[in-house]
């Protein structure tokens, strides 16, 4: 089951988007393609899409006030706009234009924003409703294009985890603290990887032990976040 993170635990970096901001952006991108008849989205529909339990990782608890604050930031960055007309205020996304993305690349970035790090195969499957990719090679081509994006990469390939056959990709626009720690753990694991092709078994065992420790620290952080959430709920 995906962890649930409330607004108090979300990253609020001035450089990167927070978890709620990435979720809003991803939700608007998704709904534009999957439910075009109701797009642009009203605030209520947007919040419901952000808080849905399926196709989301982590699961969030976004309030109206939190959504409005995040929308202001996204509007300032040119990623979202208000749509006038009618009695209900609606919102639209402009990620493709703002970031200079093709439609297939935007579909992949949308899935990464909503579901977290995934392999190219998982991305091809999960992006099916947004764009049909002919094969995994085409997915990888768009990922590599976004990874080489200037002036800043939009995605990155994570080091292969021990015991896995495929590498995962993550988005770099922003996200929650737990996800950022997982990326940092991957960085540390990569830094510890032997560079010589004839690295000894002992060195590989040491690397595996380091990764295990880092994974344990990530699990402890998630448990701490959940405990703080429960305490906050009781205090309310």
């Amino acid at each position: 089951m995906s962890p649930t993170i409330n607004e108090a635990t979300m990253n609020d970096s001035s450089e990167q988007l927070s978890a709620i901001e990435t979720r809003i952006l991803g939700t608007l991108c998704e709904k534009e393609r999957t439910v075009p008849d109701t797009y642009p989205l009203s605030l209520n529909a947007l919040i419901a899409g952000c808080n849905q339990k399926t196709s989301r990782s982590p699961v969030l608890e976004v309030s109206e006030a939190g959504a409005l604050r995040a929308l202001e930031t996204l509007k300032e960055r040119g990623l979202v706009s208000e749509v006038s007309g009618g009695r209900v205020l609606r919102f639209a996304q402009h990620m493709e234009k703002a970031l200079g993305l093709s439609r297939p690349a935007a579909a992949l970035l949308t899935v990464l924003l909503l579901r977290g790090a995934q392999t190219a195969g998982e991305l091809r499957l999960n992006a099916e409703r947004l764009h049909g990719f002919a094969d995994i090679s085409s997915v990888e081509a768009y990922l590599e294009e976004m990874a080489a994006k200037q002036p800043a990469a939009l995605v990155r390939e994570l080091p292969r985890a021990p015991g896995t056959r495929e590498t995962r990709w993550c988005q770099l626009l922003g996200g929650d603290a737990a996800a950022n720690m997982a990326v940092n753990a991957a960085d540390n694991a990569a830094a510890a990887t032997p560079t010589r092709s004839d690295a000894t078994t002992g060195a590989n065992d040491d690397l595996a032990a380091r990764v295990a420790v880092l994974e344990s620290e990530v699990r402890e952080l998630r448990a701490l976040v959940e405990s703080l959430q429960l305490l906050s709920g009781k205090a309310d």
Side-chain angles (χ1 to χ4, degrees), residues 20-223:
I20 186 173
E21 290 159 2
T22 58
R23 178 57 51 83
I24 284 177
L25 183 60
T27 299
L28 286 171
C29 293
E30 176 194 58
K31 300 305 182 184
E32 180 180 15
R33 301 194 190 191
T34 58
V35 286
D37 292 343
T38 60
Y39 182 87
L41 299 184
S42 67
L43 181 61
N44 287 339
L46 176 57
I47 292 173
C50 290
N51 292 342
Q52 71 183 57
K53 307 301 183 183
T54 59
S55 303
R56 303 287 186 266
S57 181
V59 174
L60 301 185
E61 298 175 356
V62 179
S63 67
E64 180 175 331
L68 289 172
R69 287 194 299 269
L71 284 164
E72 286 302 314
T73 299
L74 292 170
K75 286 190 292 183
E76 291 173 1
R77 299 190 181 191
L79 292 168
V80 169
S81 66
E82 293 181 9
V83 179
S84 59
R87 299 170 58 185
V88 178
L89 188 63
R90 294 181 179 273
F91 300 91
Q93 62 84 22
H94 306 291
M95 185 175 74
E96 289 181 28
K97 181 178 180 180
L99 301 181
L101 295 175
S102 64
R103 185 176 178 86
L108 295 173
L109 185 55
T110 295
V111 176
L112 288 172
L113 289 171
L114 294 175
R115 293 177 176 239
Q118 297 160 77
T119 67
E122 290 170 336
L123 282 168
R124 183 191 179 199
L125 177 64
N126 293 329
E128 189 173 14
R129 291 196 306 159
L130 308 181
H131 181 83
F133 291 91
D135 49 39
I136 293 180
S137 296
S138 62
V139 172
E140 292 173 335
Y142 284 110
L143 290 170
E144 290 168 0
E145 178 183 290
M146 287 191 287
K149 192 80 172 174
Q150 295 296 329
L154 299 176
V155 303
R156 63 169 294 183
E157 187 176 15
L158 298 173
R160 184 176 302 167
T164 62
R165 299 177 59 184
E166 299 180 71
T167 57
R168 297 189 304 160
W169 292 78
C170 69
Q171 55 84 16
L172 298 178
L173 293 183
D176 64 278
N180 289 337
M181 172 163 268
V183 172
N184 291 335
D187 286 340
N188 292 335
T193 303
T195 57
R196 295 178 56 189
S197 59
D198 61 343
T200 64
T201 301
N204 289 333
D205 289 343
D206 181 66
L207 172 61
R210 289 168 183 252
V211 172
V213 170
L214 291 169
E215 291 175 339
S216 176
E217 291 176 350
V218 171
R219 288 193 296 271
E220 290 175 0
L221 175 63
R222 290 185 181 276

